[in-house]
């Protein structure tokens, strides 16, 4: 089966500002030849600690930044070879959800306008009626009433705003969703609701996820396979439960051991005498 997403040897450097007038600009290599692939309908997690390069990888897969070398192919299209207009058209097939829906939902715009924006130029949604019908469908899919379209982002809770962000991603009927820490900013019970919703949608629409998170518990719930990233390199990859239950790489072992274990019995908090 041909992979839906194929990432090959991505290398990404950032140039750091000069420390002084006489010093040379420094190069920071954030991705050291990252490769991975994802099949249609599969959910692949990228797990690693802060600064390991997860978001840089997500932005590179989306074509939001261009690495120094390597390639990203989505549904057979080499996205770095596409012009701006072609990339915009190709985005129909891959969408993104980010951690902070506040940051990505324009507070000045109604939900209707936010949801319509990705589809205005699609041939199959050019009329106002067809757009309105799609908006109704995606709101229903994420469990929001049709009347939500008339409201503004600030009128919703964090979990509901993330539902709107998911609806906006769904509206182009994508095959792949790149989800960068989509539940990290939510309370635990709301996290569970959003993860359940994402799993339902995956089944319903045959979606694939590239799911980025530092949270091993979340990874166990939503991903089939996981790739562990450390200092810009994939150090271990495999079925999620296998990798977490029997980690092979020392970094994965440290990551797994860092998760607090449940304890039995009550434990008193130690308080220093005044
Ligand atoms: N635009 C940029 N310019 C310079 N350095 C950058 C830039 N973006 C990211 N970096 C650096 O690249 C490294 C990886 O950052 P990245 O955001 O990809 O990590 P991450 O694993 O997503 O971390 P977090 O979980 O904290 O979001 C960090 O050292 C970061 O400081």
């Amino acid at each position: 089966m041909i992979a839906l997403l194929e990432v090959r040897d991505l290398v990404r450097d950032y140039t750091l500002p000069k420390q002084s007038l006489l010093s040379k600009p420094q190069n920071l290599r954030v991705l050291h030849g990252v490769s991975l692939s994802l099949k249609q309908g599969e959910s692949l997690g990228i797990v690693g600690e802060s600064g390991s390069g997860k978001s840089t990888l997500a932005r590179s897969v989306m074509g939001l930044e261009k690495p120094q070398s390597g390639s990203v192919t989505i549904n057979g299209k080499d996205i770095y070879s596409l012009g701006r207009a072609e990339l915009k058209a190709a985005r129909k097939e891959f969408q993104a959800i980010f951690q902070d829906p506040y940051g990505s939902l324009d507070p000045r715009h109604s939900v209707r306008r936010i949801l319509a924006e990705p589809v205005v130029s699609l041939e199959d949604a050019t009329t106002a009626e067809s757009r309105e019908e799609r908006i109704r469908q995606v709101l229903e899919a994420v469990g929001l009433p049709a009347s939500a379209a008339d409201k503004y982002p600030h009128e919703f809770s964090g979990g509901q705003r993330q539902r709107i962000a998911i609806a906006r991603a769904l509206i182009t009927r994508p095959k792949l969703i790149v989800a960068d820490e989509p539940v990290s900013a939510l309370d635990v019970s709301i996290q569970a609701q959003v993860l359940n919703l994402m799993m339902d949608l995956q089944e319903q629409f045959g979606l694939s996820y590239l799911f980025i998170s530092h949270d091993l518990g979340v990874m166990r719930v939503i991903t089939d396979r996981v790739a562990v990233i450390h200092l810009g390199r994939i150090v271990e990859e495999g079925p999620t439960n296998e990798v977490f239950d029997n980690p092979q790489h020392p970094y994965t072992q440290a990551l797994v051991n860092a998760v607090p274990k449940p304890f039995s019995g009550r434990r008193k908090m130690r308080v220093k005498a005044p």
Side-chain angles (χ1 to χ4, degrees):
M1 192 194 214
I2 298 173
L4 175 65
L5 167 68
E6 195 77 61
V7 174
R8 280 283 154 258
D9 301 321
L10 280 195
V11 172
R12 178 68 172 123
D13 295 335
Y14 290 116
T15 309
L16 300 178
K18 295 205 294 184
Q19 296 296 312
S20 70
L21 274 176
L22 296 176
S23 64
K24 288 184 182 162
Q26 296 274 312
N27 234 18
L28 174 69
R29 181 148 293 182
V30 175
L31 299 178
H32 295 254
V34 169
S35 298
L36 45 92
S37 75
L38 172 67
K39 284 187 263 172
Q40 175 86 50
E42 194 182 29
S43 176
L44 172 67
I46 307 292
V47 69
E49 62 196 343
S50 189
S52 55
K54 303 184 297 296
S55 295
T56 304
L57 176 59
R59 289 196 302 272
S60 304
V61 167
M62 289 298 297
L64 298 174
E65 53 181 274
K66 197 171 173 189
Q68 273 61 29
S69 60
S71 65
V72 172
T73 310
I74 301 179
N75 208 21
K77 291 191 189 78
D78 173 359
I79 63 159
Y80 299 142
S81 70
L82 303 177
R84 241 175 117 163
E86 290 168 319
L87 182 62
K88 205 171 165 204
R91 282 261 168 77
K92 181 179 169 182
E93 289 167 18
F94 56 99
Q95 292 285 330
I97 316 167
F98 296 100
Q99 177 174 357
D100 174 17
Y102 244 146
S104 58
L105 302 179
D106 192 329
R108 298 164 305 169
H109 295 158
S110 69
V111 169
R112 172 173 288 102
R113 181 158 170 196
I114 288 169
L115 295 181
E117 199 268 323
V119 284
V120 275
S121 56
L122 297 181
E123 322 75 63
D124 48 346
T126 44
T127 66
E129 294 75 37
S130 60
R131 285 200 290 275
E132 197 58 30
E133 177 54 17
R134 281 216 194 187
I135 289 169
R136 197 195 56 70
Q137 285 170 358
V138 289
L139 284 172
E140 189 183 343
V142 300
L144 290 172
S147 58
D150 300 316
K151 297 187 175 173
Y152 287 78
H154 71 269
E155 297 180 72
F156 295 92
S157 68
Q160 287 171 327
R161 278 198 296 273
Q162 201 54 297
R163 284 173 192 266
I164 295 166
I166 295 171
R168 186 183 51 185
L170 282 179
I171 202 156
T172 63
R173 298 174 182 156
K175 294 188 168 63
L176 170 68
I177 291 187
V178 177
D180 188 356
E181 302 274 9
V183 296
S184 307
L186 305 174
D187 290 347
V188 173
S189 64
I190 310 294
Q191 280 193 358
Q193 287 175 15
V194 172
L195 290 174
N196 285 339
L197 170 67
M198 289 182 75
M199 287 189 287
D200 287 347
L201 295 172
Q202 185 177 21
E203 247 179 60
Q204 207 178 330
F205 299 110
L207 288 171
S208 312
Y209 293 129
L210 184 66
F211 197 101
I212 283 143
S213 177
H214 63 276
D215 188 324
L216 276 56
V218 165
M219 285 299 189
R220 279 198 195 259
V221 172
I222 192 139
T223 62
D224 307 304
R225 277 191 308 124
V226 74
V228 182
I229 187 167
H230 177 48
L231 300 174
R233 289 186 169 86
I234 305 285
V235 295
E236 186 164 357
E237 193 182 339
T240 306
N241 287 339
E242 268 178 40
V243 169
F244 291 163
D245 291 342
N246 190 15
Q248 299 297 309
H249 192 277
Y251 175 72
T252 319
Q253 290 164 358
L255 207 62
V256 169
N257 287 332
V259 176
K261 302 271 181 299
F263 62 89
S264 54
R266 283 160 61 90
R267 196 182 286 172
K268 275 190 180 167
M269 283 180 70
R270 286 192 191 164
V271 183
K272 270 191 183 166

